[in-house]
Amino acid sequence: MKNFKIYLNAPITLGFVFISLIVLIVSYITHGASDIALFSTYRASITDPLLYVRLFTHIFGHIDMTHFMNNMLYILLLGPILEEKYHSKMIGIIMGVALTTGIIHNIFTDSILMGASGIVFAFIILASITGDKEGIPFTLILVTIFYLGSELYSAIFVKDNISQLTHIIGGITGALIGLMLKSPKFKSEKQDTML
């Protein structure tokens, strides 16, 4: 116990969680007005400057504590592992998937999008790829089949307020980034920059 200490690991992951918690508290205080103004994305006039802000900031907004906890538990579980493996900068880039999901969501749907589920699914797929061996891990194939299958089923047959489109985009992003990070070309470029 003498050497027991708490240290801050995974700064991007922890920063994301704390920002999301503050946004949730502000949402409760403003009765959701802050979510509509800043922390959700939806179709709006292209002359509205907040439209472009919301394309990024919608990932911090959550409808309630349950929605927040569901996303943050996955992010806190997977984020530190991925951040240690791929470093903070890469995790920040993956979180930038928000722009892609926001744009595609606004083009193809009329609904409001908020939350970090696209990031969660990018992390899930990326975690299934993580490893040092060459090739495509069998776990990635299984996770992709189970995950895409359930999301496509839900998109077609289940009427709910969940954006399966965002989950699918997040999963595809995680897969593409993971396969890029595993490629021999990326590994050799990374080693060259370290020398």
Side-chain angles (χ1 to χ4, degrees):
M1 291 299 285
K2 201 174 197 181
N3 294 328
F4 178 79
K5 64 179 181 178
I6 295 174
Y7 64 95
L8 290 177
N9 62 330
I12 297 293
T13 301
L14 290 172
F16 182 85
V17 170
F18 286 121
I19 291 169
S20 297
L21 179 60
I22 291 167
V23 167
L24 182 65
I25 292 167
V26 171
S27 174
Y28 280 127
I29 292 169
T30 64
H31 302 286
S34 60
D35 292 335
I36 298 300
L38 288 172
F39 301 110
S40 60
T41 189
Y42 45 87
R43 282 188 191 165
S45 169
I46 59 171
T47 60
D48 178 3
L50 290 180
L51 168 68
Y52 305 100
V53 173
R54 289 189 298 262
L55 287 174
F56 288 100
T57 59
H58 73 273
I59 58 174
F60 298 113
H62 291 84
I63 195 72
D64 57 23
M65 184 58 80
T66 302
H67 185 209
F68 172 81
M69 291 299 290
N70 286 341
N71 280 335
M72 294 308 124
L73 286 173
Y74 279 108
I75 287 173
L76 285 169
L77 177 67
L78 298 171
I81 296 165
L82 296 172
E83 199 164 340
E84 183 177 326
K85 172 83 176 172
Y86 299 116
H87 306 291
S88 298
K89 183 179 176 183
M90 185 56 66
I91 297 306
I93 290 169
I94 293 167
M95 288 182 171
V97 72
L99 177 63
T100 307
T101 58
I103 290 169
I104 292 173
H105 177 84
N106 289 351
I107 290 171
F108 291 106
T109 72
D110 299 356
S111 59
I112 293 175
L113 175 66
M114 63 190 309
S117 58
I119 294 168
V120 167
F121 283 97
F123 279 12
I124 289 170
I125 297 294
L126 182 58
S128 72
I129 295 173
T130 301
D132 292 328
K133 293 185 179 176
E134 296 295 324
I136 298 174
F138 188 63
T139 53
L140 170 63
I141 295 167
L142 289 178
V143 167
T144 303
I145 289 169
F146 293 157
Y147 158 71
L148 282 178
S150 68
E151 291 304 309
L152 289 172
Y153 175 85
S154 295
I156 295 167
F157 298 109
V158 178
K159 298 295 180 204
D160 56 21
N161 290 326
I162 297 171
S163 175
Q164 284 81 23
L165 180 61
T166 301
H167 297 176
I168 291 168
I169 294 166
I172 290 169
T173 301
L176 292 175
I177 290 173
L179 291 172
M180 178 199 73
L181 293 172
K182 278 184 75 79
S183 74
K185 182 181 177 190
F186 180 82
K187 287 180 180 177
S188 66
E189 286 175 6
K190 187 177 176 186
Q191 286 173 349
D192 290 344
T193 59
M194 293 172 76
L195 296 175

